Amino acid sequence: MKLVPPVDRLGRVESSAERRVASLLDQIELDEPATCFYSVHLPRHEYKRMAEIDFLLVLEGLLLVVEVKGGRLARKGGVWTFTDRYGDVHEKREGPFDQARTAAFALEHDLSSRAPQLDPKLGWIVVTPDQVLEPDVEWDPAEYIGGNAMSLAGLRDGIARAAKFWRARSRRKTPSASYRELVGLLRPNFDRVPKLSLTASAFEAEYVALASEQYAMLRGSELNDRVFCIGGAGSGKTLLAVESARRAAAEGAKVLLTCRSPGVVDLMSRSLSGTAVDCEVWSNLTGPEPYDLLVVDEAQDLLNLDDYVRLDELVDGGLTGGRWRIFCDPNNQANVDGAFDTAIYDELRKQGAIYQLPYNCRNTSAIINQTQLLTGADLGVARVGEGPQVEFVHASDDEDSAAKVDSQLGKLREEEIDPTDIVVVTLRSSVDRSSAALTRAWSRRRLVDGDSPANEGRRTRLVTTRAFKGLEAAHVLVVDVDDVSSAAAMARLYVAMTRPRVSLWLAVRDEAWEQLAATGKERS
């Protein structure tokens, strides 16, 4: 039976009873195709009906809601008591069979509104891994699996018995819903992926649902040998690169995940900790032995003839016959790191299944609109709301820029923004050349060199666009916007402006101010 999400991605599960059942379900083989969806990573507030179901078994034309109750249960005078692992006793009028029944009917109502053409048979099972309940008129024996059946054979037989019972009992004699149709409809609601975060402790702790186009790409990577995924900044390319690598490695493939940026590789590597995926910075790759699958993030930095030849050597079968997933943003940031050749870009597009990511899942509408107006880049459609307006301030020189940065950092502190949620990005080539190095925050070590891995802790970071490319932060201050007349300068501006999730602030010098004003007027 296929468990979604798989056991190796469950992370922390508070209910030991649910984890025990999940582990058994993952190993069970039924006499028919079966998928089990586990709601462990569904936020209760986001999709209440699905989140209230512990496990959902999908069989041919049949859905079985599984309610798992750990601890000790008892019923007296119509009242159920639940004793948890800490010995605390809770009373409820609604017992586990009522909960399973209510969840099943809610699911039925939801499916009838979303896909009325599908009409599956429906049933439920209650599982108590820690005890055996005495028979009761409230439920049929086929609706219940007790602690004495917590083995592969016992749980398999209990599920088979329940499936037979509910198929015979249902008034829907010939359901129109096939197994594949039901799995295809339900899987996107349960198949969450770990959210990427710059905070190591957040890994595997928060899971996110994918947009339909992102999920289509992920499913496409399971069906196609070669996938070419295109999307602007904030469209979720790095998240999908990590997840496609994770899933391929779980199937036994030898996987390499690479890009030019050390910061992005570090982020991906920490997220993939405990997997067999090799995460390597492009410049550190050595050895001729090819991989079963090559995954490349920020591929616009590697789309040139020299790097193409190296990529071809890294995958078994080469780029024309091997398995790869290439994630690319052909917008302005192609000019920030490495070299970009449109002929190589066009060649790879021809060789792979193409997926376009039309949504921006990072930036607010305000940030997207301003970035598109000034750079001309296509950032897709915003999915995270309007957000605060982008703020531009005029800086006459470096000292004025530094003073304005100090003032803005002070305002954010007054709003009780965590210093680690703020990043200052310089468009100059190095941190020590930035006007932000003249700030009081820098002299007092509240602002530190973010390009250096040694500078960690709860401080605000000052970074170059090259170091911050592919990463993000809640609040971004952009400094040293001196001259944006060249393609390289505009590319750096594009990268800096597309990093924030919440707010964007820019300090702009005289020459750049006039250039941006002219550019905005031309594009408006």
Side-chain angles (χ1 to χ4, degrees):
M1 181 186 304
K2 183 179 180 64
L3 183 67
V4 178
V7 168
D8 63 358
R9 276 206 9 242
L10 293 186
R12 182 170 176 263
V13 179
E14 293 185 2
S15 170
S16 59
E18 289 184 10
R19 175 170 277 283
R20 185 178 172 192
V21 171
S23 180
L24 289 172
L25 288 171
D26 186 54
Q27 302 174 66
I28 287 175
E29 292 295 336
L30 299 179
D31 294 332
E32 60 178 304
T35 294
C36 179
F37 295 114
Y38 183 22
S39 68
V40 62
H41 294 313
L42 269 64
R44 298 279 159 174
H45 65 277
E46 184 178 316
Y47 204 154
K48 199 163 184 285
R49 287 175 185 145
M50 296 299 185
E52 287 177 343
I53 297 172
D54 293 335
F55 295 90
L56 180 61
L57 294 179
V58 183
L59 306 174
E60 187 62 50
L62 173 67
L63 298 177
L64 286 177
V65 172
V66 180
E67 176 74 19
V68 177
K69 285 296 180 185
R72 308 296 296 179
L73 290 81
R75 189 171 74 129
K76 186 176 182 179
V79 176
W80 283 87
T81 61
F82 300 83
T83 305
D84 61 26
R85 56 183 171 173
Y86 304 108
D88 295 328
V89 179
H90 310 273
E91 289 188 356
K92 290 186 179 180
R93 286 282 177 184
E94 184 183 52
F97 294 92
D98 288 330
Q99 288 177 296
R101 188 182 303 113
T102 300
F105 288 145
L107 173 63
E108 181 181 43
H109 177 74
D110 180 70
L111 292 179
S112 66
S113 63
R114 293 169 57 206
Q117 75 279 9
L118 301 180
D119 192 23
K121 296 183 177 183
L122 203 66
W124 53 84
I125 316 170
V126 171
V127 182
T128 58
D130 301 322
Q131 73 177 112
V132 177
L133 297 177
E134 294 296 327
D136 195 291
V137 294
E138 183 181 337
W139 62 84
D140 189 278
E143 299 176 51
Y144 173 63
I145 299 175
N148 57 351
M150 287 298 99
S151 65
L152 292 180
L155 195 55
R156 183 189 63 235
D157 292 346
I159 292 172
R161 184 170 62 250
K164 182 179 179 181
F165 170 79
W166 287 109
R167 281 174 170 145
R169 184 170 178 173
S170 175
R171 289 173 294 179
R172 300 180 179 92
K173 298 302 180 184
T174 55
S176 60
S178 71
Y179 166 74
R180 288 186 177 276
E181 287 175 316
L182 290 172
V183 170
L185 177 66
L186 292 166
R187 184 174 175 182
N189 294 315
F190 289 86
D191 198 3
R192 302 301 177 96
V193 302
K195 182 178 180 179
L196 294 183
S197 171
L198 293 177
T199 307
S201 61
F203 289 127
E204 307 295 337
E206 186 175 355
Y207 285 70
V208 293
L210 299 177
S212 58
E213 288 79 7
Q214 292 174 322
Y215 193 75
M217 182 271 134
L218 199 58
R219 293 287 293 122
S221 72
E222 297 173 351
L223 302 173
N224 298 287
D225 285 339
R226 291 170 293 282
V227 171
F228 195 84
C229 183
I230 306 165
S235 59
K237 298 185 301 300
T238 299
L239 186 73
L240 293 173
V242 167
E243 190 61 21
S244 60
R246 185 197 312 276
R247 297 187 180 200
E251 295 294 327
K254 182 183 178 184
V255 181
L256 170 65
L257 177 56
T258 187
C259 76
R260 276 194 184 275
S261 169
V264 175
V265 171
D266 178 63
L267 178 70
M268 297 189 297
S269 179
R270 284 187 281 152
S271 182
L272 290 166
S273 175
T275 73
V277 177
D278 287 347
C279 294
E280 294 289 345
V281 179
W282 177 252
S283 60
N284 294 343
L285 285 173
T286 58
E289 185 176 351
Y291 286 80
D292 300 327
L293 176 68
L294 173 65
V295 183
V296 183
D297 191 29
E298 301 287 326
Q300 65 275 2
D301 299 336
L302 303 174
L303 297 187
N304 56 78
L305 184 57
D306 290 341
D307 290 332
Y308 180 93
V309 172
R310 182 72 180 109
L311 287 168
D312 188 67
E313 297 172 343
L314 287 170
V315 60
D316 188 22
L319 290 173
T320 56
R323 294 178 62 206
W324 47 259
R325 285 85 180 92
I326 289 179
F327 297 84
C328 179
D329 178 0
N331 284 304
N332 302 53
Q333 66 175 313
N335 295 302
V336 173
D337 200 4
F340 182 85
D341 187 330
T342 54
I344 300 295
Y345 172 79
D346 292 338
E347 178 63 27
L348 281 173
R349 280 175 57 99
K350 295 175 185 176
Q351 295 176 14
I354 298 176
Y355 288 87
Q356 181 87 33
L357 303 177
Y359 293 107
N360 185 304
C361 302
R362 175 198 299 151
N363 307 129
T364 64
S365 296
I367 292 171
I368 289 174
N369 292 338
Q370 282 295 331
T371 305
Q372 289 178 336
L373 179 65
L374 297 181
T375 70
D378 181 7
L379 292 181
V381 180
R383 290 178 63 92
V384 295
E386 178 61 30
Q389 290 299 307
V390 176
E391 185 176 358
F392 293 86
V393 299
H394 184 269
S396 57
D397 53 31
D398 279 6
E399 288 72 17
D400 186 33
S401 176
K404 286 182 166 63
V405 169
D406 275 323
S407 176
Q408 183 63 16
L409 290 175
K411 291 177 183 178
L412 294 174
R413 282 198 305 274
E414 289 175 1
E415 295 175 15
E416 298 184 349
I417 303 297
D418 191 312
T420 61
D421 286 335
I422 308 167
V423 172
V424 180
V425 184
T426 174
L427 298 197
R428 293 176 184 169
S429 59
S430 64
V431 164
D432 57 3
R433 294 184 60 196
S434 171
S435 61
L438 301 177
T439 60
R440 293 193 308 274
W442 180 266
S443 64
R444 296 173 183 176
R445 300 291 296 161
R446 292 200 299 263
L447 178 65
V448 298
D449 183 353
D451 285 3
S452 171
N455 282 319
E456 296 184 355
R458 305 199 64 77
R459 298 183 178 92
T460 297
R461 290 167 297 151
L462 171 61
V463 299
T464 59
T465 52
R466 182 175 183 179
F468 204 44
K469 186 165 170 282
L471 303 176
E472 62 182 44
H475 307 274
V476 172
L477 282 59
V478 182
V479 297
D480 308 319
V481 186
D482 302 321
D483 179 354
V484 291
S485 59
S486 69
M490 188 60 79
R492 289 193 293 273
L493 179 63
Y494 168 84
V495 170
M497 292 185 70
T498 55
R499 300 307 100 194
R501 297 191 305 272
V502 180
S503 73
L504 174 62
W505 178 96
L506 302 94
V508 184
R509 296 285 290 274
D510 293 341
E511 188 172 3
W513 189 278
E514 295 177 2
Q515 294 164 347
L516 292 176
T519 300
K521 189 176 295 185
E522 290 174 4
R523 293 200 171 105
S524 61

